[in-house]
Amino acid sequence: MSSLITKVRLKQIEALLEKGKRLDDRSLTDYREIQIEQGVIEKAEGSARVLLGKTQVLVGVKVETGEPFPDTPNDGVMTVNAELVPLASPNFEPGPPDENSIELARVVDRGIRESHAIDTEKLCIEPGKKVFVVFVDIYVLNHDGNLIDASAIAAVAALMNTKMPNYEIKDGELKIKQGYSQLPMKVHPVTVTMGKIANKLLVDPWIEEESVMDSRITFASNADGNICAIQKGGSSYFTPQQILDASKIALEKAAELRKKFNW
Amino acid sequence: MVVDLFDAEDKLGAADVPVAYMPNLNAVTLLQMDGILAPDEFEKAVNMAMEGCKQIYTMQKEALKTKYMVVKEVEE
């Protein structure tokens, strides 16, 4: 976006913020409308599509067998990947993943990993040799801001929707049986992202706000109201007080979302 | 809860919170957290990290002062 437009927009946004308002008529702590649709990809073990305002994210989950990491021989493996599809935004280019898509995948990954969302011990087939590997693939279909929350919600919704093949071990060989069972999950983490513009915290920044915001902070939390992962992003700073304020807002919003989704 | 953790603490700890802080501007420039913390524990962790940063800041200032005071004396 050209810097002149950005400056004009920033002034407009700042003037509105003074009155506690935003460009799209939300209050500072309002989310845009969220829609979750599960099981949208037939060929995947699990999938979900999330609409957060006009931001649209599709997540597919694939379950395969593979080797565990040497330091966690009894645990299944989860990997998160994100792809910013060029049709989602004029700023997304085809080619190898750039830092934005890597950051997106990392933040979503940590929310799920650190909250121990997946019961990885139940994914172990043969300790140290064979475990289930869960691939979470994020596809951003339309970018209208706050990809992190949209992707994190979609990833958890897709995992909740994931079916694993039934199996048995016969003479040391893995045999896939008929039928499926639910992917074992312990926690459904909820991720809340805030942006900072003119020293004010805004929940769920959309693209116009993202283009002018100073910095961003993301909190993932579990159903007990504990914080599981935090990531600060952007080049500017937060004061310690703003961080504590942000953590309170994040936990409140997470509880609200949890209620809404029935998680 | 501890600051400046060593290897075993890092591996066995329930959560870790790296923080970068600029004491003069009262600005947190980096904040990450992995693991599970209750809200009051998190508040305590942030405050402890701030204190740690301030300690290092005074030490950095001291170190720079000592070094350049010496140079100055030599020049004179």
Side-chain angles (χ1 to χ4, degrees), chain A residues 80-83 100-110 138:
Chain A
V80 180
N81 242 303
E83 196 153 327
N100 294 318
S101 70
I102 292 171
E103 188 186 28
L104 176 63
R106 295 295 303 145
V107 177
V108 173
D109 179 296
R110 285 183 35 222
I138 301 166

Side-chain angles (χ1 to χ4, degrees), chain A residues 17 27 78 116 137 143 195 198 214-215 250:
Chain A
L17 279 176
S27 82
M78 178 202 63
H116 306 289
D137 289 312
H143 178 22
D214 301 320
S215 45

